[in-house]
Amino acid sequence: MAIEIVKDDQWQLYGKRFNSRLLIGTALYPSPQIMQQSIKASQSQIVTVSLRRQSPENQGGNSIWEFIKQLNCELLPNTAGCHSAKEAITLAQMSREIFNTNWIKLEVIGDEYNLQPDPFGTLEAAEKLINLGFDVFPYCTDDLVLCQRLHDVGCKVLMPWGAPIGTGRGLMNSYALQTIRERLPNVPLIVDAGIGKPSHAVQAMEIGYDGILLNTAVAQASDPIMMGQAFGEAVTAGRKGYLAGAMTKRQTAQPSTPVLGTPFWHQTN
């Protein structure tokens, strides 16, 4: 009889249920066709889109926009490129009108060098957007207090970074990320930014994160389609590893075959 390993591992984001725990961006691909095939290979059900890049209201990026619509994925518009709360709120309102969704990935950049989000602007914009009826996915650093404040103002999903956007450095501070997980046990947590390899995604999922959001690691791989598939599988593997429960680390070696009770054979002359 076949054994079903994980019966139902769907997760819920603002009342919507999904099977895939990978969220993927639509920028930087060599072509719209490769973008579409890569996302399909990843089996992601949520894609991020930028109003500034697509501009569907002005028929801008029309070819790419058509490929995105054909994916039949949930859209997560973002406020990429905004440097103030006011700017992000204005762009979010435009995105809601154009994309017909209350979902918004909130980005308020505070530093141009490492694209670190502005914690004060992010918190201000998040609170105002929630009061305007938005479902906010805030991109933030791995600061526990900031994550707590964002949750307090009404963010039901949090997205701390693994590393600065586009660096591919993986989890630079796994201790900080794990602390957020432990202190906010019932909040959906998504690692957003800095993931460069499938092994980074596995690591994040194994410490209990609920999902991964990435773009560059797939879009700029030598083979984006294969890399999309690899990340989809990595997220699933990491999630199963977390649910299964990893063995405890030990300081000393321990044989996998027990010695006690094992018969010893000796030769007699």
Side-chain angles (χ1 to χ4, degrees):
M1 181 176 66
I3 299 175
E4 189 174 357
I5 303 297
V6 179
K7 283 188 176 181
D8 181 6
D9 193 36
Q10 284 190 330
W11 64 324
Q12 188 167 294
L13 299 171
Y14 287 108
K16 298 180 180 180
R17 298 178 68 85
F18 302 93
N19 295 311
S20 171
R21 291 171 178 266
L22 177 64
L23 295 75
I24 195 165
T26 55
L28 304 175
Y29 292 86
S31 70
Q33 292 86 352
I34 291 178
M35 177 270 292
Q36 187 184 67
Q37 292 175 52
S38 301
I39 293 172
K40 286 182 177 179
S42 76
Q43 297 189 44
S44 174
Q45 296 171 298
I46 304 172
V47 297
T48 63
V49 292
S50 170
L51 179 61
R52 284 184 166 172
R53 176 169 176 266
Q54 308 302 344
S55 299
E57 77 284 7
N58 296 319
Q59 302 302 312
N62 192 55
S63 173
I64 295 176
W65 178 234
E66 287 301 319
F67 279 95
I68 292 172
K69 288 195 292 185
Q70 291 169 16
L71 289 166
N72 292 319
C73 290
E74 192 73 32
L75 296 181
L76 177 58
N78 67 46
T79 62
C82 291
H83 294 82
S84 69
K86 181 179 180 181
E87 191 179 4
I89 292 166
T90 299
L91 191 60
Q93 291 173 313
M94 293 171 62
S95 294
R96 177 160 65 178
E97 184 176 345
I98 298 302
F99 295 115
N100 193 31
T101 178
N102 287 326
W103 280 24
I104 193 73
K105 177 189 173 185
L106 176 61
E107 294 184 33
V108 182
I109 300 302
D111 183 80
E112 281 295 338
Y113 178 73
N114 68 355
L115 300 179
Q116 178 173 325
D118 176 351
F120 309 103
T122 300
L123 186 59
E124 177 188 350
E127 186 169 15
K128 290 181 178 178
L129 287 170
I130 288 165
N131 289 335
L132 290 170
F134 282 89
D135 298 325
V136 179
F137 294 69
Y139 163 59
C140 59
T141 57
D142 51 11
D143 182 288
L144 172 62
V145 175
L146 174 59
C147 287
Q148 289 174 322
R149 295 292 181 270
L150 286 166
H151 184 244
D152 289 344
V153 300
C155 294
K156 296 180 180 179
V157 178
L158 299 174
M159 303 204 303
W161 71 0
I165 294 172
T167 62
R169 298 177 66 87
L171 308 188
M172 293 197 308
N173 193 340
S174 57
Y175 171 78
L177 290 170
Q178 195 155 9
T179 299
I180 295 169
R181 176 71 289 170
E182 291 169 357
R183 296 292 296 277
L184 297 169
N186 300 315
V187 179
L189 297 178
I190 299 168
V191 171
D192 177 13
I195 299 296
K197 299 185 290 187
S199 58
H200 297 158
V202 171
Q203 184 184 2
M205 298 301 290
E206 284 180 338
I207 63 174
Y209 271 68
D210 299 285
I212 303 293
L213 194 159
L214 54 82
N215 188 164
T216 309
V218 171
Q220 298 197 332
S222 298
D223 186 336
I225 299 169
M226 184 180 292
M227 189 61 79
Q229 181 180 6
F231 269 107
E233 293 171 353
V235 168
T236 298
R239 176 64 178 173
K240 288 183 177 180
Y242 169 71
L243 294 175
M247 64 173 285
T248 304
K249 291 182 180 179
R250 303 188 181 99
Q251 293 294 329
T252 57
Q254 181 172 324
S256 56
T257 302
V259 175
L260 289 175
T262 302
F264 287 87
W265 300 91
H266 11 179
Q267 183 176 358
T268 55
N269 293 324

